[in-house]
Amino acid sequence: MNVVPYQRPKGILEEYEKSLAGKSEKTVDAYMRALRQFTTWIADRPGNGGLFRPEQLTKTAIEMYLALLQSEGYSVSHLARVKSAVGSFARWLMEEKEILRRNPIRGVEIPAQPLLAPRQLSPDQRYILRSLVERDGNPRSEALFALGYWAGCRVSDVSWLQIKNTNIGPKVGWLSVGYKGNKMRDIDLLNQARSPLYKYIQHGGRDPDSPYVFTSQRADRLTEAGIHHWFRTLKSMATKDEWELILDITFHDLRHDFAHRAREAGWTLEEIAYYLGHVTKKGMPAIQTTIRYTQASREQIKEKLKQIKG
């Protein structure tokens, strides 16, 4: 968003922040960041002269701001958090300051997210996640992330991966994966996936007595819930600015993004379907499932329009 530097409306946000003293530090920080961005956007609207005044907090402003966030790729859950923060601020302006006569949040609907919308990460999101893994420097983290990001593996593929099904060496590597639905498949690995996996198996401190590749201190394998917990912990290392871009990304989104990048690299839908394990009971590629993963976005079509020549 292109916005002017925020100008404080006579300390009104600072007053409101003090009223949140009973909430957790994380909640207060999330609310205030959302409100500062929202009020800055209002201040930048025509006729406002770079200033925010509480009476400018209207239903129209909220609806247009949420629509803007959606167009920029923010998730429905992020929009819901913004709506909650603005609604709380508006109630305070009504009940404590008696500036507003009614809460403008009433009747505001969050724009619906398209059904089966694919999750394609932005270059910034990819940069942040890959940087977090590198900053973490943990061999297990590097291997877990690599199998999602560079091999498009499911959480179950990773959690149930057994040593006997890994064929990893210093220069070549492939896996037999497919715990879900008991549909095993052999996949070759990019060096970006093979190398960290080989490093982890050789020097990552896994339990050598476990038949599973990824182990934990509590069990002989790292569970699906354990992988999700690891991914949340990895994201918690982000700075505040980084967190805004990656807070709602899941491990499964890495798989979706891999499918997009494979499609951009020229893979056919059949090839992507096989690699991701989208196959029917008869072993044929389940193209309809893969199409959901590689669904084109409006922004992609918009860029392609520029390539049409007369």
Side-chain angles (χ1 to χ4, degrees), residues 62-75:
I62 297 169
E63 288 178 334
M64 292 187 69
Y65 183 69
L66 291 177
L68 175 64
L69 291 181
Q70 184 190 42
S71 71
E72 293 186 344
Y74 286 89
S75 67

Side-chain angles (χ1 to χ4, degrees), residues 42-62:
I42 290 181
D44 196 35
R45 296 310 92 207
N48 293 338
L51 297 171
F52 167 76
R53 294 180 293 278
E55 58 269 22
Q56 297 164 346
L57 208 170
T58 63
K59 181 179 179 181
T60 297
I62 297 169

Side-chain angles (χ1 to χ4, degrees), residues 194-213:
R194 180 206 58 77
S195 180
L197 184 57
Y198 179 75
K199 177 182 176 182
Y200 166 69
I201 292 174
Q202 296 297 316
H203 310 291
R206 58 175 298 277
D207 181 358
D209 295 326
S210 172
Y212 298 100
V213 172

Side-chain angles (χ1 to χ4, degrees), residues 71-288:
S71 71
E72 293 186 344
Y74 286 89
S75 67
V76 169
S77 59
H78 180 79
L79 269 59
R81 282 189 289 271
V82 171
K83 180 183 174 182
S84 177
V86 174
S88 175
F89 180 49
R91 282 193 298 274
W92 180 78
L93 289 173
M94 288 175 56
E95 298 167 4
E96 300 296 327
K97 305 301 291 183
E98 298 183 351
I99 295 176
L100 300 181
R101 283 186 272 184
R102 63 184 301 276
N103 195 329
I105 206 74
R106 240 180 241 171
V108 172
E109 299 290 337
I110 294 177
Q113 185 164 328
L115 291 176
L116 302 176
R119 187 60 185 267
Q120 181 177 16
L121 304 185
S122 70
D124 283 344
Q125 289 171 324
R126 293 168 183 162
Y127 172 79
I128 291 169
L129 290 173
R130 293 177 63 182
S131 295
L132 287 175
V133 173
E134 187 173 351
R135 272 144 52 183
D136 185 25
N138 185 299
R140 189 177 76 160
S141 290
E142 293 172 357
L144 286 168
F145 180 79
L147 289 183
Y149 187 82
W150 290 110
C153 288
R154 295 184 179 95
V155 173
S156 59
D157 290 337
V158 178
S159 177
W160 292 92
L161 180 62
Q162 296 192 36
I163 285 291
K164 68 179 183 179
N165 291 328
T166 63
N167 299 273
I168 306 296
K171 295 184 178 181
V172 295
W174 57 274
L175 307 175
S176 290
V177 296
Y179 175 80
K180 183 178 179 181
N182 196 27
K183 297 178 181 178
M184 299 299 291
R185 67 192 187 280
D186 295 336
I187 59 171
D188 291 290
L189 298 179
L190 281 168
N191 186 57
Q192 292 92 328
R194 180 206 58 77
S195 180
L197 184 57
Y198 179 75
K199 177 182 176 182
Y200 166 69
I201 292 174
Q202 296 297 316
H203 310 291
R206 58 175 298 277
D207 181 358
D209 295 326
S210 172
Y212 298 100
V213 172
F214 293 97
T215 61
S216 73
Q217 295 179 342
R218 298 180 180 180
D220 60 353
R221 74 176 177 88
L222 183 63
T223 64
E224 287 93 328
I227 294 174
H228 290 306
H229 176 74
W230 159 78
F231 195 62
R232 289 192 298 269
T233 302
L234 177 72
K235 293 193 301 176
S236 71
M237 297 167 51
T239 65
K240 288 183 178 180
D241 289 339
E242 291 174 333
W243 175 252
E244 287 292 320
L245 290 174
I246 64 168
L247 78 168
D248 61 338
I249 295 176
T250 67
F251 187 86
H252 192 71
D253 290 329
L254 304 182
R255 175 174 165 88
H256 280 242
D257 191 60
F258 174 85
H260 275 287
R261 287 180 283 121
R263 190 70 168 137
E264 290 173 355
W267 289 30
T268 66
L269 289 176
E270 288 84 359
E271 290 166 341
I272 297 174
Y274 172 79
Y275 197 86
L276 295 181
H278 294 159
V279 294
T280 66
K281 292 181 179 180
K282 295 182 179 180
M284 298 297 292
I287 302 301
Q288 290 304 314

